[in-house]
Amino acid sequence: MGFKEGLRPFIGLDGTFLKGNAKGQLLIVVGQDSMNQFYPLAWAVVDKETKRTWIWFLQQLQNSLELHNGKGITFISDMQKRFCVKHIEANWCKRWRKGELKKLLWWGAWSSYAKEFGDQLEQMKQLDEPVVKDLISRYPPETWCRAYLNTVDKNQEVDNNFTESFNSWILEARYKPIIGMLDDIRIKVMNRSRENDEFVSKWYGLVNPNTMKLYNEYLKIAQVCKVNGNGDSGYEVIEGHDRHVVNLSKEAFKLAYKHKLQPVRGIQFWNVDPSQAMEPPALVKLAGRPRIKRDRGKDEALKRQGEWKLSRKGRVMTCNNCREPNHNVRGCG
């Protein structure tokens, strides 16, 4: 399938609320293709986003993609995006240096080499060494710094925004009943796969447009680099003592989208075993105090006693003495 043949072993996890009458949450798993676009892998409706529902969902994913124990796969979620910052806010919230520490931590996460990360770490230690040591002991850099990620799934993403892009892409579908929503998502994914497969056939040469865009942006910097090729699609890029292997082939993109979803007949043709019939999630009591007062309209104001009344804004004033408009008794005369 497309994930094994054409995608990095890089998976984003997220959950999003359903917006229709049937309440619940949609758990999603998204990959990333060679153009850094989201690649929908799996989605499922659950009653709540809990440890129990995530374990069930990931077990289904593990079996479907044959992930075994997950070795060699990098998972990223919203929690991973914020956990170090949350730790800083919890421990240094009263420090005037919090903003500087957060900035250094961010640059540390972006470090490409262990030496670069070590330099950022030393700067953080100069601000508060005990707290930095506590941070490193709680969250080893190997789990969140690019310098320690393997070169297969290393990329420019240090957040989970590509899963948020998928959530926005299916926003309209999330307002529909569950069956209609799932069918809409299936159709969108099926069409997207076809469109991307057609798109790659229009590329000029072996290099994808995203790579050419980066090439043009960094053209001046690249003048100091030396490139050696193997006559196929593999290259060695040398800058000083640094050497990187680059593959610019469009084959990975083609392999990712050559596998298609199959069309499905209408619901009247579905043979559903009554024991397997899908029921909507049970209504869940939301957090917080229940609302007992209605929303105030834009033309209503609040009385001192706590009751709503019509606002006098825009109303024409009439004098009680002469009954003429635009003044009151005190101004009558």
Side-chain angles (χ1 to χ4, degrees), residues 119-270:
D119 294 340
Q120 297 291 341
L121 194 62
E122 289 301 318
Q123 293 185 51
M124 287 191 286
K125 287 181 179 179
Q126 291 177 12
L127 295 177
D128 199 323
E129 185 171 1
V131 177
V132 173
K133 286 184 176 180
D134 178 60
L135 172 68
I136 299 300
S137 65
R138 289 172 180 264
Y139 307 107
E142 290 78 9
T143 63
W144 52 270
C145 177
R146 284 202 307 166
Y148 299 100
L149 301 180
N150 66 64
T151 56
V152 176
D153 53 17
K154 182 183 291 186
N155 56 46
Q156 295 180 334
E157 297 290 341
V158 293
D159 53 36
N160 204 28
N161 288 344
F162 67 110
T163 62
E164 299 296 339
S165 298
F166 177 78
N167 289 337
S168 299
W169 186 61
I170 61 169
L171 178 61
E172 185 177 344
R174 287 160 52 197
Y175 283 92
K176 294 187 175 183
I178 292 177
I179 297 296
M181 177 192 69
L182 294 175
D183 200 43
D184 270 17
I185 294 175
R186 179 190 60 81
I187 292 173
K188 287 177 71 72
V189 172
M190 181 174 66
N191 287 332
R192 179 183 174 86
S193 180
R194 185 201 74 248
E195 291 165 0
N196 280 331
D197 194 30
E198 295 170 352
F199 171 60
V200 70
S201 65
K202 299 177 183 178
W203 290 4
Y204 179 77
L206 298 176
V207 183
N208 71 53
N210 190 51
T211 300
M212 287 304 302
K213 180 180 178 181
L214 290 174
Y215 171 78
N216 291 326
E217 289 178 358
Y218 293 103
L219 185 60
K220 292 183 179 180
I221 302 175
Q223 296 299 323
V224 301
C225 299
K226 182 180 179 181
V227 179
N228 299 309
N230 63 359
D232 193 359
S233 56
Y235 300 88
E236 292 180 4
V237 181
I238 303 173
E239 180 187 1
H241 296 291
D242 291 336
R243 179 181 299 179
H244 302 278
V245 177
V246 180
N247 190 325
L248 302 179
S249 173
K250 66 181 181 182
E251 294 303 315
F253 196 87
K254 292 176 64 176
L255 289 172
Y257 289 101
K258 83 172 184 179
H259 299 274
K260 306 295 191 302
L261 290 180
Q262 299 303 312
V264 175
R265 301 182 76 186
I267 192 172
Q268 67 271 27
F269 297 102
W270 297 357

Side-chain angles (χ1 to χ4, degrees), residues 269-295:
F269 297 102
W270 297 357
N271 294 321
V272 180
D273 187 336
S275 64
Q276 301 295 322
M278 181 185 298
E279 298 293 338
L283 293 177
V284 178
K285 184 178 180 181
L286 300 178
R289 181 179 298 176
R291 301 183 63 177
I292 58 175
K293 293 185 178 180
R294 64 179 177 84
D295 291 333

Side-chain angles (χ1 to χ4, degrees), residues 13-80:
L13 310 173
D14 199 13
T16 185
F17 287 99
L18 305 185
K19 295 182 176 293
N21 292 329
K23 303 303 179 184
Q25 285 203 299
L26 184 71
L27 303 185
I28 63 169
V29 173
V30 182
Q32 191 179 57
D33 63 24
S34 59
M35 286 275 287
N36 291 337
Q37 300 172 342
F38 66 81
Y39 185 99
L41 293 173
W43 51 94
V45 177
V46 296
D47 53 350
K48 292 186 291 186
E49 188 177 2
T50 64
K51 182 177 180 180
R52 171 184 59 83
T53 55
W54 269 113
I55 289 176
W56 168 81
F57 185 47
L58 291 177
Q59 285 175 341
Q60 308 309 311
L61 182 74
Q62 181 185 37
N63 295 332
S64 298
L65 300 184
E66 298 179 353
L67 300 181
H68 305 294
N69 63 354
K71 184 178 180 180
I73 307 293
T74 296
F75 292 88
I76 186 170
S77 67
D78 280 339
M79 181 186 70
Q80 286 175 287

